[in-house]
Amino acid sequence: MAPLGSGLILGIETSCDETAAAVVRRGTEILSNTVASQIPVHAPYGGVVPELASREHLRNLLPVVRTALAEAGAAWNDLDAIAVTEGPGLAGALLVGISFAKALAFALDKPLIAVNHLEGHIHAVFLEEARRASAQSHDGMPEERLPGRQVLALVVSGGHTHLYLAQPTVSGWSYRNVGRTVDDAAGEAFDKVAKVLGLGYPGGPWIDALAPHGNPEAVPFSFSQVKAKAHRRGEPGALDPAEEIYFSFSGIKTAVLRYTKVYEMEAGIERRRAALAEIGNPRPEDALALCDKRTLDLIASFQRSVVDDLRRKTFRAAERFAVDRVLVSGGVAANRELRVRFTAEAAERGLPIGFPSLALATDNAAMIAAAAWPKFVAGTVADEALTAEPGLALGR
Ligand code: KG4
Ligand code: ZN
């Protein structure tokens, strides 16, 4: 086992469009959590431009790491390990963080720990729970984290919609993937629908803010039963057909587009896009006066449909696998309607449910440093040949 020192891990996260660094003590205490967002860089394109993301990471990473250390009041040599996101994500973006982390670990002669970004999102919730538990001055491990307990984690972001069964073991956590999307991720649908409607980027917070102003039952979107495409069955990573839970979010995006054409909404959309472009740094509140009732109803109905599909399938899985609790993480876990509806259903079923705070829901490095802690304790360090794994899966 590695000497545990004071347990300070520097986390580095560059898998997509946030350059992030954080210092976390013993996987539970956040000393700093710095994020440099690239939203203004990618917003004009309505999506992340990989090449630009890599260059921005290169530009931002050292200042972000310096800030994280300064805010933590830590010196380079106080660190016990460096943790970095290995994948999944954009290849070029990951390479910037990994190269930096490798060089830093080498120069400081500290262990380097590779973290799966999806495991990071799950640990964002554990981090939150540990913080709450220590605030309530409970001693030891929260009951839910005792070996044998099974958690169902929905990781739902711009790139992922996955259901995992997670179990604590003596050497860290083990994961089993029991659900995933066959096409777009849920966050991607939020982003694409916002783009179709002439709203800002990323779309999730815009739709979240505008949806309460519309009627969620106005447009009856339907999610048909999604079946795995025949050619995916039997492929590595394919789920057991008896246990499969599949999501699909590309159909609803097309349905929204079709709706805007049927009701000839294009001119209004263009007017809104142009009006928002006039405002320097537009915010969702600026869009409200630019949306008519039909648009607000469409936004509310879209959000309700996506949230309900996520909710139904997640709780179906919770029942099927008889889990002890549910957690939801990733950027879309910031959605207010999702939190309200998941919380209500969990309460009805008597199942505990957890979410990250808003700051820990979207990409950050505190979750990477937290996920690295059990690996550090178990002495699991990265190989010298560590490289970016854009398609890295979590669990079996
Ligand atoms: O986890 P994240 O920061 O990055 C990825 O790993 O993808 O998630 C970003 C995604 C984007 O698609 C964004 O639109 C969505 O999370 N998102 C939201 C909300 N805030 C962010 N979606 C719905 N409601 C929100 N409030
Ligand atoms: Zn993410």
Side-chain angles (χ1 to χ4, degrees):
M1 190 195 277
L4 297 185
S6 54
L8 288 196
I9 296 189
L10 170 70
I12 293 175
E13 153 64 41
T14 64
S15 68
C16 191
D17 61 342
E18 320 276 12
T19 312
V23 179
V24 178
R25 183 182 281 135
R26 305 180 80 81
T28 53
E29 192 189 340
I30 301 177
L31 302 188
S32 65
N33 190 16
T34 311
V35 180
S37 169
Q38 299 180 6
I39 287 176
V41 174
H42 303 287
Y45 306 93
V48 178
V49 183
E51 183 70 27
L52 293 180
S54 306
R55 281 187 230 173
E56 283 302 297
H57 286 313
L58 209 45
R59 211 190 308 275
N60 294 336
L61 191 48
L62 188 52
V64 164
V65 169
R66 279 195 203 283
T67 306
L69 252 79
E71 283 179 5
W76 296 108
N77 264 315
D78 295 336
L79 300 173
D80 293 296
I82 317 295
V84 68
T85 305
E86 176 186 12
L90 302 169
L94 289 163
L95 284 172
V96 176
I98 294 171
S99 310
F100 182 93
K102 267 192 175 184
L104 187 58
F106 175 72
L108 297 175
D109 195 21
K110 305 283 180 184
L112 178 66
I113 299 168
V115 175
N116 183 311
H117 180 81
L118 298 165
E119 184 175 20
H121 274 303
I122 293 172
H123 277 261
V125 183
F126 296 153
L127 190 51
E128 212 74 63
E129 287 169 347
R131 195 154 52 165
R132 261 201 309 273
S134 74
Q136 291 161 3
S137 66
H138 282 174
D139 283 335
M141 184 95 82
E143 197 189 334
E144 307 85 35
R145 294 178 69 175
L146 295 175
R149 290 298 180 114
Q150 186 155 253
V151 183
L152 178 71
L154 170 65
V155 181
V156 64
S157 70
H160 306 279
T161 307
H162 282 293
L163 281 167
Y164 295 101
L165 290 176
Q167 257 183 326
T169 71
V170 277
S171 58
W173 285 79
S174 80
Y175 303 92
R176 190 165 132 219
N177 185 198
V178 295
R180 67 173 178 205
T181 177
V182 297
D183 42 50
D184 292 355
E188 201 176 344
F190 274 89
D191 295 342
K192 288 179 175 170
V193 163
K195 194 174 176 181
V196 162
L197 297 177
L199 302 171
Y201 168 83
W206 291 72
I207 290 180
D208 188 344
L210 294 169
H213 301 278
N215 172 7
E217 276 151 24
V219 188
F221 291 113
S222 74
F223 277 89
S224 52
Q225 195 70 27
V226 184
K227 292 269 178 241
K229 291 195 186 97
H231 73 268
R232 296 190 77 143
R233 292 189 184 237
E235 276 183 4
L239 305 181
D240 177 344
E243 297 185 337
E244 64 195 17
I245 292 165
Y246 287 106
F247 298 97
S248 167
F249 295 105
S250 88
I252 191 161
K253 166 200 70 188
T254 314
V256 168
L257 183 62
R258 207 177 314 120
Y259 188 92
T260 62
K261 296 206 184 309
V262 169
Y263 290 96
E264 297 175 350
M265 296 165 73
E266 288 102 327
I269 291 170
E270 276 321 309
R271 271 198 303 278
R272 180 161 52 247
R273 207 189 303 278
L276 288 173
E278 292 276 295
I279 304 172
N281 186 14
R283 303 168 59 80
E285 306 84 73
D286 300 320
L288 183 56
L290 302 167
C291 292
D292 58 6
K293 180 170 176 344
R294 190 183 294 285
T295 303
L296 293 170
D297 286 352
L298 180 59
I299 289 170
S301 302
F302 161 78
Q303 178 169 287
R304 171 64 58 84
S305 300
V306 171
V307 166
D308 267 355
D309 185 65
L310 290 168
R311 178 182 58 78
R312 266 194 306 271
K313 289 177 181 161
T314 301
F315 285 96
R316 195 196 304 154
E319 204 171 294
R320 184 178 299 171
F321 297 104
V323 298
D324 299 292
R325 66 191 181 113
V326 172
L327 64 86
V328 189
S329 195
V332 182
N335 187 271
R336 285 172 297 172
E337 183 169 6
L338 181 146
R339 286 178 181 238
V340 168
R341 294 178 81 77
F342 270 69
T343 303
E345 173 131 11
E348 241 169 62
R349 292 171 178 260
L351 262 181
I353 188 161
F355 301 94
S357 63
L358 292 187
L360 292 183
T362 49
D363 289 349
N364 65 86
M367 69 186 196
I368 302 301
W373 174 250
K375 297 181 202 297
F376 177 69
V377 173
T380 310
V381 296
D383 193 87
E384 279 205 342
L386 176 72
T387 187
E389 300 291 349
L392 187 66
L394 177 63
R396 52 197 169 85

